[in-house]
Each structure stands twice: as structure tokens, then as C-alpha cells.
Amino acid sequence: MIKKLGAILLVITLFSCSSSKPPMISEPMYDVLFGSEYGGASFQFYEIVSDEKEFNILLTDDMIKPYVKKEDIETCNFILVNMGEKKSGGYTLEVQKVEELADKVIVTLKEIEPKGVATMAVTKPCYVIKIKSKKPIEIR
């Protein structure tokens, strides 16, 4: 009886000390820090900000500086996206996928056109995206 009880306690102890871990909750590779229908450039372009000199320019922009910290440049890159001049409001940008590879980060972006009635005014949408990696960025 004592041997049986000892065996049962041993089995319970082994199962309670198993090496299974709870699932990891992964943090997204990016944050959209800023998006606005106004304030962008008249033409469509994006710029990758990865060095301190360019980053310091972001820190002086009144629209962007509330969303970035000086130490971010040590661990992150940033993408400035200007969607160009649009004839109405309602245009947005969607980050479809951010994939980190061994040598780079691939960012897939998609322009979303307005659905239904939109503001009938010229807009210049722009976005700032923080990529949580210092690897080179490829935009698709």
C-alpha cells in the first residue's frame, strides 16, 4: 500500500513538473504611430528612417514627436508614408504584413480607397510606422 501511494505521488509530481509552457504572446513587429488625412506631401513616396540624423528630424516635427522617444532609434526603424494628393477624404493605409527574415524585414502595405460617401476636399494622407527591428526594410 505504501509503495502504491509512493508511486502515485511520484507520477503526480512528475506531471506537475512537466516542461510544457503556456503559449507565448508575441508582440507585433510594428506600430502605426501616426496617421492623418492632412500634412503629407503632394506626391506619393515613402522614406525609411534608420539613422540618428534622420531620426532627429522626426523628433522636431510637432505632429510626430509625441509618438516617438529619443531611445527608439537604438532598436527600431521608421517608415514615413506619404500617399500623395487625393481628391477626397477617406483614404487610409493598411499594414497587411510585417515579416522578419534573417537578413531583413519585409513590410507589405496596401492603400485603401474610401467606401461610400467621403469628404469632398483635397487631402494628403500620411503615416508613420514604427518597425521594431534594426534590420534593413523592404517595402512591398
Side-chain angles (χ1 to χ4, degrees), residues 8 30 38 41 47 49 56 61 63 66 69 71 121 134 140:
I8 292 171
Y30 71 94
Y38 305 98
E47 180 179 352
V49 176
N56 286 333
D61 188 299
M63 290 189 306
K69 296 178 286 211
E71 51 276 1
K134 288 302 288 179
R140 292 187 179 168

Side-chain angles (χ1 to χ4, degrees), residues 14-108:
L14 288 175
F15 278 110
S16 66
C17 295
S18 76
S19 64
S20 67
K21 297 177 184 174
M24 296 289 291
I25 298 173
S26 64
E27 196 174 294
M29 280 286 304
Y30 71 94
D31 289 320
V32 177
L33 299 180
F34 175 81
S36 175
E37 288 192 323
Y38 305 98
S42 297
F43 54 95
Q44 194 171 36
F45 75 95
Y46 67 86
E47 180 179 352
I48 297 169
V49 176
S50 59
D51 71 40
E52 192 169 351
K53 188 184 288 186
E54 293 172 327
F55 182 72
N56 286 333
I57 295 170
L58 283 182
L59 291 174
T60 64
D61 188 299
D62 289 334
M63 290 189 306
I64 298 169
K65 71 181 174 184
Y67 306 102
V68 293
K69 296 178 286 211
K70 189 155 183 74
E71 51 276 1
D72 284 342
I73 194 59
E74 296 170 17
T75 58
C76 302
N77 287 323
F78 296 82
I79 306 171
L80 305 177
V81 180
N82 282 280
M83 295 175 65
E85 189 172 283
K86 306 295 181 189
K87 295 182 187 217
S88 72
Y91 283 85
T92 59
L93 185 73
E94 178 182 301
V95 179
Q96 290 192 309
K97 185 165 89 169
V98 176
E99 183 179 12
E100 186 172 25
L101 304 177
D103 61 336
K104 64 184 170 184
V105 175
I106 300 173
V107 180
T108 305

